[in-house]
Amino acid sequence: MDDALFAVIMAGGRGERFWPLSREARPKQFLKLLSDHALIRECYLRVRQLIPAENVMVVTSRRYLQLCRENLPELPEENLIGEPLGRNTAACAALAAGIVKRRAGKDAVILTMPSDHVIENTEAFQRQMEASAQFVRAHGGLMTFGIVPTYPATGFGYIRSGKVVGETGSILFRAVASFHEKPSLAVAQEYLAGGQYLWNSGIFVWPVAQLEREFARYAPEFSVFLEKTAKTPPEELNEMLTGEYPDLPSNSIDRAVFEKSDAARLSPAVFDWDDVGGFANLKRHLPTDADGNARRGRVLFADAENSLGIADDKHTVIVAGLNKISVVQDGSVVLVAPLEYAEKARAVIDQVRREHPELL
């Protein structure tokens, strides 16, 4: 176990593409989608064998602190960091790095990751995170992990891999040739065929000192905030965040630093990964019947193919005569949509927010 390695679990998202299962009061990361554990606990258990509990931190909305306590009772209270409002991943990374710097100094290394991804090959994940931490300690750099595409996804950013700069066994470390925003279907098909493009996993490993230098160069407002956080006593942190956090830009760590930095590094993942960004992704992890249908809860299929049905234990959903449809029931809400509808889910949420905000 590495006492100089820290984990930061980013858990402030709202999981809107999973509505109506994911609600503002209990978003996706707190749902038990594929096991008896919520996704955030699965994330914690994934790193626990690498990193001691006292070095695992969660950055989330203040609204979700109690849900974090319920799902992660092992964590010390000071490791649950409540943001007064969402400011995207650059602010989250700076906040966490400042706290780690105060506790362990600038040479500490941080594994930063979303709370709601599914990674099934835990041993391979742990092996790659450990090797990557050793690499950035020795050579510097901001490391991310690229996922070999299995289909022409339009919902992910892509990274074009560059030359090999190091390796540990089967784990390669590469330079980054270029970053690419979410593509059209035609471009995604070209990326898939080309073989050089990987999905951007949103998982990072970096030394505090390296991240601080890159912030100072490309996004100095976050460097200033990181240093202020490092100098703020724990008992004064909430008050400082209330005053300072709203003034930070809302920007992703990718755009603020990663896409600009020549210190960006890429390690092609040796583990299975899925961001479970919509119901089509969820279906891939569920058992299917002879017609390709997957269910969770009290669901019946009649003359239906390649569809997904989800219901709670008080209701029954029947999917009849349909193909590639998701029918999702939660409480008083039923959502019927094409299975591959995740990228348009925001429009649905916006309409619900205007007309029936109580359902969010």
Side-chain angles (χ1 to χ4, degrees):
M1 194 170 292
D2 190 340
D3 291 334
L5 179 61
F6 286 74
V8 174
I9 299 174
M10 299 182 290
R14 293 180 293 184
E16 291 182 339
R17 289 181 291 177
F18 255 85
W19 184 87
L21 295 184
S22 178
R23 309 283 186 114
E24 289 183 355
R26 187 177 292 271
K28 174 190 167 192
Q29 59 268 32
F30 301 107
L31 300 180
K32 298 175 182 178
L33 292 178
L34 295 168
S35 76
D36 293 332
H37 297 307
L39 292 175
I40 190 172
R41 181 155 187 83
E42 293 282 6
C43 182
Y44 166 73
L45 294 174
R46 199 175 298 133
V47 301
R48 181 62 186 86
Q49 294 180 27
L50 271 182
I51 300 171
E54 59 268 24
N55 286 9
V56 179
M57 299 191 303
V58 177
V59 180
T60 187
S61 165
R62 288 177 179 173
R63 181 177 185 179
Y64 303 140
L65 285 172
Q66 184 55 36
L67 288 172
C68 290
R69 294 184 187 104
E70 293 169 5
N71 283 280
L72 305 171
E74 303 92 335
L75 293 190
E77 183 66 23
E78 60 268 24
N79 287 21
L80 304 177
I81 314 301
E83 298 173 300
L85 75 171
R87 274 294 177 261
N88 214 318
T89 54
C92 176
L95 169 58
I99 295 172
V100 171
K101 183 179 180 180
R102 170 168 51 79
R103 292 187 187 182
K106 65 180 182 179
D107 294 328
V109 174
I110 305 175
L111 161 60
T112 302
M113 59 197 157
S115 58
D116 59 355
H117 292 178
V118 171
I119 294 172
E120 295 178 340
N121 192 340
T122 299
E123 286 188 12
F125 172 82
Q126 293 168 344
R127 187 170 70 252
Q128 189 159 16
M129 296 306 108
E130 188 172 31
S132 299
Q134 292 172 356
F135 179 88
V136 298
R137 276 199 188 103
H139 306 287
L142 307 175
M143 186 72 68
T144 192
F145 303 89
I147 311 300
V148 177
T150 54
Y151 63 96
T154 59
F156 301 139
Y158 285 72
I159 305 174
R160 186 162 68 89
S161 58
K163 67 179 181 179
V164 174
V165 295
E167 61 183 292
T168 301
S170 62
I171 298 169
L172 295 178
F173 306 110
R174 292 181 173 273
V176 171
S178 56
F179 290 87
H180 300 266
E181 297 297 326
K182 297 175 182 179
S184 66
L185 178 59
V187 172
Q189 289 170 335
E190 292 177 7
Y191 289 169
L192 183 63
Q196 290 182 300
Y197 294 86
L198 304 176
W199 291 335
N200 186 348
S201 69
I203 303 171
F204 306 95
V205 172
W206 44 50
V208 170
Q210 182 84 62
L211 181 64
E212 193 168 21
R213 284 195 298 271
E214 303 307 306
F215 271 141
R217 183 176 181 184
Y218 299 108
E221 61 273 28
F222 293 110
S223 175
V224 171
F225 174 72
L226 189 160
E227 186 60 26
K228 184 161 190 174
T229 301
K231 293 179 178 178
T232 300
E235 64 274 13
E236 298 176 13
L237 181 63
N238 279 337
E239 182 180 356
M240 186 278 283
L241 291 179
T242 299
E244 300 285 339
Y245 218 66
D247 294 331
L248 290 173
S250 181
N251 202 356
S252 69
I253 189 66
D254 302 79
R255 290 184 177 178
V257 168
F258 223 83
E259 296 176 4
K260 303 172 184 176
S261 174
D262 56 9
R265 298 292 180 263
L266 172 69
S267 185
V270 298
F271 52 87
D272 298 326
W273 171 93
D274 194 335
D275 78 334
V276 199
F279 292 114
N281 301 68
L282 177 62
K283 180 179 180 292
R284 296 188 187 106
H285 296 275
L286 296 174
T288 55
D289 62 21
D291 295 312
N293 300 307
R295 76 192 78 204
R296 205 187 72 176
R298 291 169 48 174
V299 178
L300 301 176
F301 293 101
D303 192 28
E305 295 179 335
N306 305 309
S307 293
L308 171 68
I310 297 177
D312 60 31
D313 57 4
K314 297 180 180 179
H315 298 83
T316 301
V317 163
I318 301 173
V319 183
L322 297 172
N323 184 32
K324 295 184 179 178
I325 291 292
S326 62
V327 181
V328 181
Q329 175 270 324
D330 182 76
S332 62
V333 177
V334 178
L335 174 68
V336 182
L339 196 56
E340 301 282 355
Y341 199 73
E343 296 310 309
K344 299 180 181 178
R346 189 173 299 277
V348 176
I349 294 295
D350 289 342
Q351 184 173 349
V352 173
R353 182 171 286 112
R354 290 192 302 269
E355 299 181 17
H356 296 284
E358 74 280 2
L359 298 179
L360 298 177

